[in-house]
Each structure stands twice: as C-alpha cells, then as structure tokens.
Amino acid sequence: MNERLRDWEALLETDIELEDGRIVHAYKQDVAADIHLLWHHGTPNIGTPPQPLFNASAGLRIGWFSFDRPGYGGSTPLPGRDIASAAGDAAAVADALEVDRFAVMGHSGGGPHALACAALLPDRVTAAVIASGLAPLEAEGLDWFAGMIPSGEASLRAAIDGPDAKERYETSGVEYDPEFTASDLAALAGEWSWLGEVVGPAVAEGPGGLIADDLAYVTPWGFNPAEISAPILFLHGGKDRIVPSSHSQWLADRCPKAELRLSPEDGHVSILTSAVPALEWLRGQND
C-alpha cells in the first residue's frame, strides 16, 4: 500500500491492490474511535469522507473510512460493475485498513452502495444511514421518475437505453441542472460547500465514473434491500427532486428494521444538515 497523511484533517490516504489487480484508493481518519463508519459518496464525487461532520463524529468517537468507487479518483475502473460489487470492495478495504465491524452511510448515489454492504456483509455491518438515496428501478409500486427533475430523468433514461446510449448522452454537451432548492443553496453556501471539493476531482478525468454509476442504478442491483437485517435510518428532504423522497419511503416500508426521517422543507443537499442527529442515532445503535 502507498500511504500519505493529510495532517490538517488527520486523514490517511492509501492505494490498495485487490486480488483482481485493480487499485482502490481509500481513506481513513487517523483518530481514536470505537465505531468505524464507511462513507459511500454520491455521483459524481470522489470518496473523501465528509469533513463537515468530523467535529460531531469525533465527539461521538466515530471514525470515518471510505474509498473512491471504480472509475473515480485513484480507483481503477471496473467495467459492467453493479451496485452489489461495492460490498466486495468495501470488505477488501476494511480488511486492508484492519477494520472488522463497521457502520455505513451513503448520500444520494452512495445510498444504494451502502445498502449493498448492509445486505451482503451482514456479519460486519452494524447499522446504516441513507440520505437522499435511490430505490431500485424495478421497485414494485413505485413510480420511479415521478417528481424527478427533467435533466435527471433524461440522464437516467439514457442509462436505461444502455452503455452506448449513455456514453453518447454524456459526451453530447448536454447540461445537467440540479434545480437546487433555496435550502440546498443555503447549505452549499455554508459548511456543505465542501461538496465542491469532491465533485471537481471526480469530473476532472471525464464522465466514466458517472456513467458507471448511472448504469448500475438502473440495472439489477444484485441484492434485495428487504433482506437487510441491520437497522437502517433513512433521511430525505420533502423538496428533493433529484431523488424524490418516495424512493426512501418505498425502501423504509420494506426493510424490516428501518426508520424514515422525512424533513419537509429540505432538498437533496440540505438534508445533510440533519446528519448530526443521524450520527447520534448511529452511536445508539452501537452502544
């Protein structure tokens, strides 16, 4: 492993070589903690864990670790990857970082990947927090696109049409308009401006990571969320039109140990301002 430490945020960065020869770029806080929390990043982001939550997590003795999904940052692409593949990568990263049991947290597109870990690593994952996460495309009884912004729907429908169509769409010069709410813009003007630090590097090398993510969201995930035995806390903003809150409602209705906290005035980003109480919930699940 190649290692370097960002002293200013006590964050160790590591390149981990997997058995299939791929490299996964991972991160781990160099802090004292008795709960390890694996962060699953959104689309398109790199995997740096969420700095705005570091102070709160330190007070709860929660330490973060994470990794760039294949095709992002320092991680080798994995052609045809599905959502379930995140569990294998997570297990390999946890092993390399000497982490046995851990909780998971995912925002937006990170939500399904966090659920994959909870479903497929039941002996290791203790609890999950999912903020603004997607449900499976084949979710029975869910109008998957209802309430979604037009540019988001167009992007994901291109993915449904297959890899070639999605590649053409993303290289056509089309612009994605997130239509952020007033609460989202306020969050982005404050401490969650941090998101700009993880979006820029993710898109600097082109749309490969984003394309792989979107293809994975709209194809079979490789696991059934309803079979997750760990407790799950779903957070969602009622004004979110990037991923409508109906997605979290559908998941919460089917996961046996799920709780949904719906924040009526929040959007896709501003829901992260509710993450500190979620960390406190997580602390309680592990006590």
Side-chain angles (χ1 to χ4, degrees), residues 121-213:
L121 304 172
D123 295 332
R124 301 187 73 168
V125 173
T126 60
V129 176
I130 311 297
S132 307
L134 289 152
L137 179 64
E138 70 273 15
E140 184 177 356
L142 175 65
D143 187 346
W144 205 75
F145 288 108
M148 191 176 290
I149 56 172
S151 58
E153 179 174 350
S155 178
L156 290 165
R157 287 196 183 278
I160 290 173
D161 290 338
D164 291 343
K166 179 62 175 174
E167 178 79 25
R168 288 194 300 272
Y169 181 86
E170 293 298 336
T171 57
S172 68
V174 66
E175 293 188 6
Y176 177 82
D177 181 1
E179 298 186 27
F180 287 130
T181 66
S183 59
D184 287 333
L185 293 173
L188 288 167
E191 61 182 356
W192 287 100
S193 63
W194 166 84
L195 284 166
E197 299 179 21
V198 295
V199 172
V203 301
E205 300 300 323
L210 181 152
I211 291 171
D213 271 353

Side-chain angles (χ1 to χ4, degrees), residues 35-254:
I35 296 175
H36 298 287
L37 178 53
L38 173 57
W39 170 253
H40 288 272
H41 64 82
T43 303
N45 295 176
I46 60 170
T48 312
Q51 188 180 355
L53 298 178
F54 282 5
N55 286 341
S57 58
L60 296 166
R61 293 188 61 81
I62 295 173
W64 298 89
F65 72 108
S66 59
F67 60 93
D68 300 335
R69 279 197 296 278
Y72 286 113
S75 292
T76 308
L78 177 60
R81 64 175 165 91
D82 61 7
I83 300 294
S85 67
D89 286 355
V93 168
D95 288 345
L97 298 179
E98 299 182 340
V99 173
D100 183 14
R101 288 170 59 78
F102 52 91
V104 293
M105 182 174 181
H107 174 239
S108 189
H113 296 91
L115 290 175
C117 293
L120 301 174
L121 304 172
D123 295 332
R124 301 187 73 168
V125 173
T126 60
V129 176
I130 311 297
S132 307
L134 289 152
L137 179 64
E138 70 273 15
E140 184 177 356
L142 175 65
D143 187 346
W144 205 75
F145 288 108
M148 191 176 290
I149 56 172
S151 58
E153 179 174 350
S155 178
L156 290 165
R157 287 196 183 278
I160 290 173
D161 290 338
D164 291 343
K166 179 62 175 174
E167 178 79 25
R168 288 194 300 272
Y169 181 86
E170 293 298 336
T171 57
S172 68
V174 66
E175 293 188 6
Y176 177 82
D177 181 1
E179 298 186 27
F180 287 130
T181 66
S183 59
D184 287 333
L185 293 173
L188 288 167
E191 61 182 356
W192 287 100
S193 63
W194 166 84
L195 284 166
E197 299 179 21
V198 295
V199 172
V203 301
E205 300 300 323
L210 181 152
I211 291 171
D213 271 353
D214 281 0
L215 290 170
Y217 300 140
V218 301
T219 51
W221 285 6
F223 65 95
N224 182 358
E227 296 178 356
I228 297 173
S229 58
I232 309 172
L233 177 60
F234 291 97
L235 308 175
H236 221 117
K239 293 186 176 181
D240 188 346
R241 295 184 63 227
I242 295 175
V243 179
S245 61
S246 55
H247 285 239
S248 282
Q249 184 67 67
W250 187 91
L251 286 161
D253 287 344
R254 285 155 180 81

